[in-house]
Amino acid sequence: MSRLLNKVAFITGAAGGIGLAAAKLFLQEGASVIMADRDAGLLEDARASMEELTSAEGSFNIVKTDVTSQQEIEQTVAHIQRKFNRIDIAVLNAGIPGANMPLEDYPVELFDQVMAVNMRGVWLGIRAVITLMKQQQGGSIIMTSSIQGLSALPGTTAYTTSKHALVGMMKGAALELAEFGIRVNAIHPGYVETPMMEAIHHAVVPDAPEKFQASIASSVPMGRYAKADEIARLMLFLASDESSYSTGSSFLADGGILAALPTF
């Protein structure tokens, strides 16, 4: 329970789903966790959830942050620097799904919003933390991509584009930052039981979301969705010193979905 002892972790999109699961796990493993999200109400709910972890070894702070705002994300990182004078881990997890509709019908404004959160927000996060990580000669940056960063589904061009872009961003950043001891990796979750996925179920099949979820789960070789904490444990490995020689890589947690795809 001390794999992150004395480490400082910055997590975006931390008010729910995978981000909150990672915050809880990192706290239990001894980290000081700074939780960032743009939804102040959800952050307060997350605070109550974090405070229930009475046996946790670390501590946590909550900062309302819109990752699409350069000013806000730089202010949050400056706050972390003043308080801790280091950032060992940056989990750049904030993301939105956009809509499921044909490319020709997809609103330009929504496409721009998806790219702003899912891609620009991650780029701003990396840009904000690397000065401090360079000074301390080390750090681990973890991006949350998706299986749609390695494959595609019809009707999701904005989301798929944004998640593919993260792979290129990850590889480029990993090469630039390796000499400073900064590791950069991406995780690619499959279907996970999160509020975002639940909202997608209701949006796509409002009359039978549970049936839709069951149908998707049956297509997964392992026959189920992941729990958010299962994805958080992969993040924990990449955040810890156990992955000290891993950088520039994509890590799948998809229940075997992509292994089942045909190869050509």
Side-chain angles (χ1 to χ4, degrees):
M1 298 295 287
S2 58
R3 292 160 74 185
L4 302 182
L5 193 63
N6 299 321
K7 293 186 182 291
V8 177
F10 169 45
I11 303 176
T12 67
I18 295 170
L20 179 57
K24 289 180 176 180
L25 184 58
F26 287 15
L27 184 72
Q28 291 173 308
E29 292 288 346
S32 297
V33 182
I34 297 83
M35 302 168 63
D37 202 289
R38 66 182 180 182
D39 192 317
L42 286 178
L43 277 173
E44 286 309 307
D45 292 341
R47 183 193 300 277
S49 181
M50 295 289 281
E51 288 174 346
E52 293 174 358
L53 301 175
T54 55
S55 61
E57 296 188 40
S59 61
F60 73 94
N61 289 261
I62 285 176
V63 184
K64 183 179 180 296
T65 309
D66 180 351
V67 298
T68 68
S69 166
Q70 178 183 352
Q71 180 180 10
E72 289 194 24
I73 203 160
E74 289 180 353
Q75 285 176 342
T76 297
V77 169
H79 164 77
I80 299 169
Q81 184 170 4
R82 287 192 300 271
K83 188 173 181 64
F84 299 102
N85 199 35
R86 64 183 302 109
I87 297 176
D88 301 284
I89 304 150
V91 179
L92 304 175
N93 169 74
I96 59 174
N100 190 322
M101 62 177 61
L103 191 154
E104 66 269 23
D105 298 330
Y106 209 97
V108 173
E109 295 79 7
L110 182 55
F111 179 89
D112 290 343
Q113 183 184 10
V114 171
M115 299 300 284
V117 175
N118 295 2
M119 187 181 69
R120 184 175 185 270
V122 174
W123 185 80
L124 287 173
I126 296 174
R127 189 173 180 273
V129 302
I130 57 175
T131 298
L132 189 53
M133 285 187 172
K134 283 181 177 181
Q135 291 172 2
Q136 66 200 31
Q137 284 291 296
S140 176
I141 298 172
I142 304 160
M143 305 177 184
T144 302
S145 181
S146 164
I147 53 171
Q148 285 178 248
L150 300 171
S151 60
L153 289 173
T156 64
T157 52
Y159 184 80
T160 296
T161 299
S162 70
K163 295 303 184 178
H164 270 73
L166 291 186
V167 177
M169 191 188 304
M170 174 269 291
K171 291 181 178 180
L175 291 176
E176 281 193 36
L177 301 174
E179 65 178 291
F180 302 101
I182 301 169
R183 299 180 292 109
V184 188
N185 294 287
I187 65 163
H188 298 268
Y191 300 109
V192 187
E193 291 182 0
T194 63
M196 187 173 85
M197 278 304 304
E198 185 177 350
I200 291 171
H201 299 151
H202 283 272
V204 176
V205 187
D207 296 331
E210 297 85 0
K211 186 176 180 180
F212 181 55
Q213 179 175 347
S215 175
I216 294 175
S218 68
S219 71
V220 179
M222 292 187 72
R224 63 177 179 86
Y225 279 34
K227 302 289 186 183
D229 70 291
E230 291 179 293
I231 310 304
R233 291 189 179 280
L234 178 55
M235 289 177 167
L236 173 62
F237 167 70
L238 293 172
S240 75
D241 295 336
E242 294 166 16
S243 59
S244 58
Y245 200 59
S246 297
T247 195
S249 295
S250 289
F251 291 80
L252 274 164
D254 71 341
I257 294 170
L258 294 191
L261 292 178
T263 56
F264 300 94

